[in-house]
Amino acid sequence: MEKNLKYIAKAVSGIFMPLMSGTYAVILAMLLSYLAYSPLKAKLVVMLVTFLGTCIVPVIAIFVLWKIGVVKEPALNSRRDRMIPYMVTIAGYLAVAVYTHVVNAPLWLTMTLVGAATALIVDTVINVWWKISGHMTGMGGLCAVIFFLMLSGLGFDTLDWEFLLAIGLAGVVGTSRLLLSRHSLWQVVAGFGIGFFMTLAFPWLFN
């Protein structure tokens, strides 16, 4: 039973890996707000750019760093391995934020990406002393996107059930990190808090 739970935990961790959080956030924004009425091509281009900048480029960077011996393993389980990959990912988020601004995307979407980048900056600083959960920072950010759309009135309907589902998924991801002994409970909670409040604060303040 325990072995099966760990397999499930690994699968959940893989599906909701931090490098996919930016793409998932943009997809949520496109599906749950008035942006759903935007031309399909425009939406797909923004999603693709986000995926390339916040996932593919960091993955390539991690792979190269692993091959040349700068990081011990691609999973970045050691906090000492995380500094450079995190900086590359932060740069990716900021680059995508600049892109969305240039193509006249709503300011709140651009600031959501800036908020996510800021959450990663905080994670990077804390990670020097303490191995905070990147998975939960990402999940906190996803919950923040839905919560912002709820509060701002930019989302379809009330989004109550969508928010509750996101919170539930965050709990599942957090549990998976604990089952795999990757983090302590407080590292999971802190990761979620940073992701949620940073990703919420920027679009809320600048909307």
Side-chain angles (χ1 to χ4, degrees):
M1 182 66 177
E2 183 179 348
K3 190 175 181 180
N4 290 334
L5 284 176
K6 288 193 174 182
Y7 280 133
I8 295 172
K10 286 181 180 179
V12 169
S13 293
I15 294 169
F16 294 100
M17 66 177 182
L19 292 180
M20 284 300 298
S21 297
T23 303
Y24 290 153
V26 169
I27 291 173
L28 285 174
M30 295 292 183
L31 292 177
L32 300 180
S33 75
Y34 63 84
L35 292 177
Y37 297 116
S38 301
L40 178 60
K41 182 179 178 180
K43 291 186 290 187
L44 290 176
V45 169
V46 172
M47 291 178 194
L48 179 60
V49 170
T50 304
F51 179 62
L52 291 173
T54 64
C55 184
I56 297 301
V57 171
V59 164
I60 293 172
I62 291 168
F63 179 78
V64 172
L65 290 169
W66 173 54
K67 283 297 184 180
I68 64 177
V70 176
V71 301
K72 294 179 181 178
E73 54 183 341
L76 305 179
N77 288 321
S78 171
R79 63 183 177 83
R80 294 182 180 179
D81 288 343
R82 296 183 172 191
M83 180 67 72
I84 298 176
Y86 272 32
M87 292 174 68
V88 172
T89 308
I90 290 165
Y93 270 97
L94 294 176
V96 176
V98 170
Y99 168 77
T100 58
H101 178 69
V102 169
V103 299
N104 295 317
L107 181 59
W108 62 265
L109 181 62
T110 297
M111 297 314 297
T112 295
L113 293 163
V114 173
T118 305
L120 277 175
I121 291 171
V122 174
D123 274 7
T124 303
V125 173
I126 292 175
N127 191 69
V128 174
W129 300 280
W130 200 48
K131 187 185 171 186
I132 197 164
S133 175
H135 276 79
M136 290 309 292
T137 300
M139 293 306 298
L142 295 181
C143 291
V145 170
I146 301 174
F147 193 62
F148 168 75
L149 293 175
M150 290 173 60
L151 290 182
S152 63
L154 297 173
F156 291 139
D157 202 12
T158 60
L159 299 182
D160 292 344
W161 287 107
E162 290 83 353
F163 182 65
L164 289 174
L165 176 61
I167 292 292
L169 283 174
V172 171
V173 174
T175 301
S176 74
R177 305 310 288 165
L178 295 175
L179 286 174
L180 295 172
S181 301
R182 299 293 189 234
H183 297 283
S184 68
L185 177 60
W186 284 114
Q187 289 168 342
V188 165
V189 172
F192 179 86
I194 290 170
F196 184 87
F197 289 109
M198 289 297 173
T199 307
L200 176 64
F202 279 78
W204 183 256
L205 290 174
F206 292 96
N207 181 41

